[in-house]
Amino acid sequence: MKDRLYGEPHEVIADFIFDERVADVFPDMIQRSVPGYGTIVNMIGTLAAQRVQAGSLCYDLGCSLGAVALAISRGVQGRDCRIIAVDNSPAMLRRARQYLMQMEGAANIQLVCADLQDIRIRSASMVVLNFTLQFIPLARRRSLLQSIYQAMLPGAMLVLSEKIALPSDKAQQLFTEMHHSFKRSQGYSDLEISQKRTALEKVMLPETLSTHKSRLHEVGFTTVEVWFQCFNFVSLLAIK
């Protein structure tokens, strides 16, 4: 279904939430809003094939409709691994269940409706936060990453994808303009771009790349590198 949620003027623009309306259009919304999203998901499957240990657990935290969980599952076929896919939106998980039921390679995916802070991670050789941390309150981000690190196996991998803030106003303006140009090329109007930006500004709080990298090192990760970037969207690998 095509995303037209902000296609008409709204007198009051409510904060963005992952409700039924968003779940209905999410595949279209994410592909047309995040440059390189499909590449990131596919390559997470490739990374899983390379790094995930047999008999371990993998976690897709903030799984939305389960695309990352499915990519991991397909990447680790034959390794007796289980993928725990977590989201706090019942609407998104209902859609995820319908989606995964139609897909081959999804039998080892367990969907869990919960707050990420309430999940007890264990024996993890791969954890993915794919555009998830940016929706977590700033004060809770370090403790979440710390708990993830402590539950990971030696040599395990964290994939962290985020929209980032730029360190200077000039760079921020440039990257914002490039992103908006991308969205126009995907068929979004200026009205849609503006209204969605307003809906997100209080609930999605980007940080700079240096902030992300420093925090990952602080909680214990030894290797932290950017493996993908397009405009102000990046994905990092952090190795324990």
Side-chain angles (χ1 to χ4, degrees):
M1 187 181 297
K2 196 170 183 65
D3 173 22
R4 294 288 297 158
L5 297 185
Y6 297 97
E8 300 296 331
H10 293 232
E11 289 188 13
V12 177
I13 301 175
D15 288 348
F16 187 89
I17 58 172
F18 291 94
D19 57 10
E20 293 282 359
R21 295 171 66 248
V22 170
D24 285 344
V25 301
F26 187 77
D28 181 69
M29 173 186 286
I30 197 74
Q31 291 288 350
R32 295 167 62 212
S33 299
V34 178
Y37 180 80
T39 298
I40 292 172
V41 171
N42 289 336
M43 290 302 101
I44 286 173
T46 300
L47 293 170
Q50 181 184 27
R51 299 286 306 192
V52 169
Q53 303 170 34
S56 65
L57 295 173
C58 301
Y59 291 83
D60 178 8
L61 302 179
C63 67
S64 60
L65 301 190
V68 165
L70 184 62
I72 296 171
S73 179
R74 290 173 171 171
V76 301
Q77 284 185 0
R79 298 189 201 174
D80 189 30
C81 295
R82 188 154 54 95
I83 298 92
I84 313 298
V86 183
D87 206 288
N88 66 355
S89 166
M92 296 295 278
L93 286 181
R94 278 193 292 272
R95 282 284 181 173
R97 191 166 288 107
Q98 295 169 4
Y99 167 68
L100 293 174
M101 285 176 61
Q102 304 171 36
M103 298 295 171
E104 293 183 9
N108 58 341
I109 299 174
Q110 177 184 349
L111 297 175
V112 178
C113 187
D115 186 287
L116 301 187
Q117 293 280 68
D118 298 331
I119 293 296
R120 181 176 174 268
I121 297 172
R122 58 187 179 85
S123 301
S125 61
M126 187 174 197
V127 179
V128 179
L129 290 159
N130 201 40
F131 303 105
T132 298
L133 192 68
Q134 58 199 20
F135 291 101
I136 302 295
L138 292 170
R140 293 174 55 191
R141 295 180 185 182
R142 191 184 191 282
S143 63
L144 174 61
L145 292 170
Q146 184 74 64
S147 66
I148 290 171
Y149 175 83
Q150 292 172 349
M152 296 173 74
L153 298 170
M157 171 190 298
L158 171 71
V159 178
L160 175 65
S161 308
E162 291 279 291
K163 182 179 182 180
I164 59 168
L166 278 296
S168 73
D169 290 342
K170 187 174 182 179
Q172 182 65 57
Q173 181 179 355
L174 173 63
F175 277 60
T176 298
E177 289 173 353
M178 289 192 294
H179 181 219
H180 289 178
S181 180
F182 165 79
K183 294 183 77 171
R184 291 187 196 99
S185 75
Q186 298 299 305
Y188 282 119
S189 67
D190 287 340
L191 175 66
E192 288 173 298
I193 293 169
S194 175
Q195 291 192 137
K196 187 177 180 186
R197 186 179 186 183
T198 299
L200 284 168
E201 63 185 4
K202 293 181 182 178
V203 296
M204 190 183 77
L205 302 175
E207 297 176 285
T208 64
L209 179 59
S210 62
T211 297
H212 285 295
K213 295 179 77 170
S214 295
R215 185 166 51 214
L216 289 167
H217 281 300
E218 286 168 7
V219 302
F221 289 100
T222 56
T223 299
V224 179
E225 296 293 343
V226 173
W227 69 277
F228 178 91
Q229 179 166 359
C230 186
F231 305 150
N232 46 346
F233 292 85
V234 304
S235 191
L236 298 99
L237 299 180
I239 309 297
K240 181 172 180 177

